[in-house]
């Protein structure tokens, strides 16, 4: 009997990629971690720094800097390349630069024997993930993006403060684009099964004060608050990505907010968008269609239209 190690390759050893790696080892999610970066010295430095931490952690993890030969037997690849937005830029504004950075990544994966699952973090996340899926001709269920996994965490954090209820009892999510056109389907938001909108009507003195538009804005702006304050987002996205990796390795079949290819769900086709989906050892197992109001569905469709337009732009670059 052969016991197989859990191997993750992180492509892009910058702020985000390195924090994915650090979260992986601190949580003991993988047995082997490999950093790949066009800047080989950075990959080596991140690997050594991460490995130093392993000495005082309860889990033994093999960490190294490598190259694309290391992806052959990897279970999961995390793609975290491309520039951070400059002041005044949106995530979508970085599309051209990110597509340029991806060319060597696409070539490296194409020339490998990799057959695992790809998780993209590179922005604009939804468009880039579809671009990668197309260029690699990869099964769509096995390439996904963290997308609004983090935005949804920010939303629940904000709601938790406003409601004074633990965020684990709040079921509200951000859908569509991981970016400016993202939307919150308030019509299906619940507090442990109780409609949030109904709660606001029934208890106006306690919950009626909620400014849902501002709460959605705060969730969307959360990333910029961090980026403007410290130059990059790191801890939140690193942990969010590892949450998906844990779910895949454990074959939990847990519902997660991920960007995946829509094939008629929510009346949309040929677009990667963030939706609730069952995640397991084979990647995206099934998309969950929420009974959103028509108003919410129209907002979701508007977000999808923006991503469709930019996906076509990416293919032309």
């Amino acid at each position: 009997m052969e016991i197989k190690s859990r191997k993750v390759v992180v492509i892009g050893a910058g702020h985000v990629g390195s924090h994915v790696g650090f979260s992986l080892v601190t949580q003991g999610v993988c047995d082997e971690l490999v950093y790949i970066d066009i800047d080989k010295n950075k990959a080596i430095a991140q690997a050594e720094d991460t490995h130093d931490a392993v000495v005082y952690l309860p889990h033994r993890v093999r960490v190294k800097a490598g190259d694309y030969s290391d992806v052959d037997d990897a279970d999961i690849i995390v793609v975290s390349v491309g520039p951070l937005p400059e002041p005044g830029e949106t995530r979508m504004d970085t599309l051209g630069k990110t597509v340029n950075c991806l060319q060597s990544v696409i070539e490296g994966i194409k020339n490998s024997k990799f057959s695992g699952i790809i998780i993209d973090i590179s922005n604009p996340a939804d468009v880039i993930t579809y671009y990668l899926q197309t260029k690699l001709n990869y099964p769509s269920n096995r390439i996904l993006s963290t997308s609004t996994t983090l935005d949804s965490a920010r939303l629940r954090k904000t709601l938790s403060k406003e409601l004074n209820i633990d965020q684990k009892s709040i079921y509200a999510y951000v859908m569509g684009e991981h970016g400016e056109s993202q939307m919150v389907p308030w019509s299906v938001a619940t507090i442990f099964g109780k409609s949030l909108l109904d709660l606001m009507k029934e208890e106006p003195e306690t919950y009626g004060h909620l400014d849902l538009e501002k709460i959605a804005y705060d969730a969307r702006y959360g990333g910029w608050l961090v980026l403007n304050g410290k130059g990059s987002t790191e801890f939140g996205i690193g942990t969010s990505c590892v949450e998906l990796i844990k779910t895949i390795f454990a074959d939990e079949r847990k519902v997660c907010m991920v960007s995946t290819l829509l094939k008629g769900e929510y009346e949309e086709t040929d677009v990667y968008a963030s939706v609730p989906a069952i995640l397991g050892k084979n990647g995206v197992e099934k998309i969950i269609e929420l009974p959103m109001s028509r108003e919410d569905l129209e907002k979701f469709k508007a977000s999808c239209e923006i991503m469709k337009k930019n996906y076509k732009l990416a293919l032309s670059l």
Side-chain angles (χ1 to χ4, degrees):
M1 176 182 175
E2 181 180 352
I3 297 175
K4 191 178 186 303
S5 295
R6 301 164 297 170
K7 182 176 180 180
V8 178
V9 174
V10 176
I11 301 176
H15 287 288
V16 173
S18 63
H19 278 72
V20 171
F22 187 63
S23 189
L24 282 168
V25 300
T26 53
Q27 296 186 57
V29 174
C30 66
D31 303 298
E32 185 174 357
L33 169 65
V34 181
Y35 290 111
I36 298 175
D37 199 284
I38 195 168
D39 183 344
K40 294 183 179 179
N41 287 332
K42 176 179 278 188
I44 291 169
Q46 298 287 30
E48 289 300 314
D49 199 13
T50 306
H51 212 170
D52 288 345
V54 171
V55 175
Y56 294 110
L57 295 173
H59 316 281
R60 182 178 183 272
V61 184
R62 299 183 296 278
V63 187
K64 70 171 187 175
D67 55 37
Y68 284 97
S69 66
D70 289 291
V71 309
D72 286 349
D73 61 345
D75 299 293
I76 294 173
I77 290 175
V78 176
V79 179
S80 179
V81 304
L84 293 166
E86 298 288 340
E89 283 188 327
T90 67
R91 295 178 182 89
M92 200 67 82
D93 291 331
T94 65
L95 178 61
K97 296 174 185 176
T98 303
V99 165
N100 185 54
C101 292
L102 283 172
Q103 300 314 305
S104 61
V105 177
I106 292 168
E107 181 181 359
I109 296 174
K110 264 189 172 181
N111 293 330
S112 74
K113 298 175 183 177
F114 178 75
S115 60
I117 292 171
I118 300 172
I119 300 176
D120 171 58
I121 300 178
S122 302
N123 282 315
D126 311 275
V127 174
I128 289 299
T129 308
Y130 198 8
Y131 179 82
L132 280 169
Q133 190 266 335
T134 302
K135 292 296 182 180
L136 292 170
N137 191 26
Y138 211 73
S140 61
N141 66 302
R142 299 179 74 79
I143 176 167
L144 58 133
S145 174
T146 51
S147 192
T148 67
T149 302
L150 179 53
D151 300 291
S152 297
R154 290 171 177 148
L155 175 67
R156 290 167 66 191
K157 176 188 72 175
T158 305
L159 277 169
S160 177
K161 290 179 180 178
E162 292 289 334
L163 294 166
N164 194 26
I165 294 174
D166 185 80
Q167 60 192 34
K168 294 183 181 66
S169 298
I170 298 171
Y171 295 85
Y173 311 98
V174 177
M175 293 177 60
E177 178 197 1
H178 174 52
E180 300 309 300
S181 73
Q182 64 182 230
M183 53 80 63
V184 178
W186 290 115
S187 58
V188 293
T190 66
I191 308 300
F192 210 75
K194 176 76 172 181
S195 167
L196 176 61
L197 297 182
D198 288 347
L199 203 59
M200 291 172 66
K201 292 176 184 176
E202 294 171 9
E203 301 184 41
E205 293 184 1
T206 309
Y207 302 111
H209 71 282
L210 291 177
D211 185 340
L212 299 184
E213 188 173 329
K214 183 180 185 302
I215 290 170
Y217 170 82
D218 288 345
R220 185 172 71 251
Y221 181 69
W224 299 110
L225 183 68
V226 175
L227 183 67
N228 294 336
K230 59 185 274 188
S232 68
T233 57
E234 301 167 318
F235 307 124
I237 184 57
T239 307
S240 296
C241 182
V242 172
E243 178 70 13
L244 302 184
I245 294 172
K246 283 195 298 184
T247 302
I248 292 166
F249 274 142
D251 192 25
E252 289 185 44
R253 294 182 56 79
K254 183 165 66 179
V255 178
C256 301
M257 296 304 301
V258 296
S259 189
T260 187
L261 184 61
L262 300 184
K263 302 175 182 178
E265 297 87 359
Y266 296 100
E267 303 176 11
E268 289 293 335
T269 57
D270 299 324
V271 63
Y272 260 74
S274 196
V275 292
I278 298 172
L279 204 60
K281 64 181 180 182
N282 296 312
V284 175
E285 306 272 354
K286 180 180 174 60
I287 293 171
I288 302 296
E289 291 194 72
L290 300 173
M292 292 193 289
S293 67
R294 196 69 216 177
E295 181 183 358
D296 283 343
L297 187 60
E298 289 302 319
K299 291 178 181 178
F300 179 77
K301 291 174 73 67
S303 182
C304 288
E305 286 303 312
I306 290 172
M307 292 186 287
K308 287 178 181 179
K309 176 183 175 182
N310 282 278
Y311 168 66
K312 291 178 181 176
L313 175 60
L315 292 179
S316 69
L317 297 174

